[in-house]
Amino acid sequence: EIFVRGPVYVPVWVSVGIVTQAGQMREQVQRAVRDALRAYLSPLTGGPAGASAAELDPVCVTTDPADPCAVPSGAGWPLEMEVRRQDLEAVVTRVPGVRYVQSIRLGVTSGGATLTDTERVAMTGLMLPRLAGLSVREGDAEDLGALMGQQPATDVPPNLVALPVLPK
C-alpha cells in the first residue's frame, strides 16, 4: 500500500526594517526586498540558493544544467530545514539598493491566534513554510501584531489626536 500525504504549511510572518542606499528609489528597493523574501520562502521554488544536486540527491553528482539530474537554484524548501531570522537577513542584505537591515522580526502563530516573535521556526516532518504576512519598510520593522491585524495596545485611545495649543 502507498499512502500519499501533502505537506503541512506553517504560517510565517515577517517584518523587515531596512535602510536604503543613497540615490536609490525607496519603493523599488522595498518591492525588490518583498519579491526576494517571497521567492526565498516559497515552498515549491524557494529555499537556499546554491544547494547542490549531490546534497539533495546523493545519486546525482553532476551540476551540468543540461543533465536532468541537476537541481537548479531554488529547487524548493528542503524538508526538515528551519526558517531562521539570520537567513532572512542575509536574503534581504543581498538585494541591490539595501544599505543594511535595521531590524527584522520573524513570527509564528501558536495556539491559533497568538503571534510569537522568534529567532527561528522549526520545520519537522512534512512541514513547509507559508508566508502569511510580510511588511518591508524604511527604519524599524513593523510590530508583528500590527502586521497580523491586531490592534496595538496603547495608552491613548485610537480616536484621539494630540493637538498643539498656543499659550494665551
Side-chain angles (χ1 to χ4, degrees), residues 3-133:
F3 294 97
V4 178
R5 236 180 91 188
V8 177
Y9 291 104
V10 177
V12 175
W13 304 78
V14 179
S15 179
V16 180
I18 61 170
V19 174
T20 308
Q21 289 179 350
Q24 298 290 324
M25 295 291 293
R26 182 181 300 168
E27 291 79 19
Q28 288 178 346
V29 173
Q30 290 174 358
R31 185 175 28 251
V33 169
R34 280 192 290 273
D35 292 344
L37 285 171
R38 282 188 188 110
Y40 177 73
L41 289 171
S42 171
L44 299 177
T45 60
S52 69
E55 290 173 3
L56 299 173
D57 187 359
V59 176
C60 296
V61 291
T62 180
T63 57
D64 180 18
D67 186 358
C69 203
V71 178
S73 174
W77 196 266
L79 292 177
E80 305 284 330
M81 184 177 132
E82 64 188 2
V83 179
R84 298 175 357 133
R85 188 181 295 187
Q86 294 89 350
D87 294 337
L88 299 176
E89 186 173 352
V91 169
V92 173
T93 305
R94 290 185 195 114
V95 173
V98 174
R99 184 166 173 229
Y100 62 88
V101 176
Q102 178 82 20
S103 60
I104 189 165
R105 295 176 188 226
L106 173 63
V108 63
T109 52
S110 59
T114 307
L115 192 62
T116 308
D117 191 6
T118 183
E119 288 290 322
R120 60 188 51 162
V121 179
M123 299 286 160
T124 59
L126 293 177
M127 291 180 167
L128 293 174
R130 180 181 62 84
L131 189 59

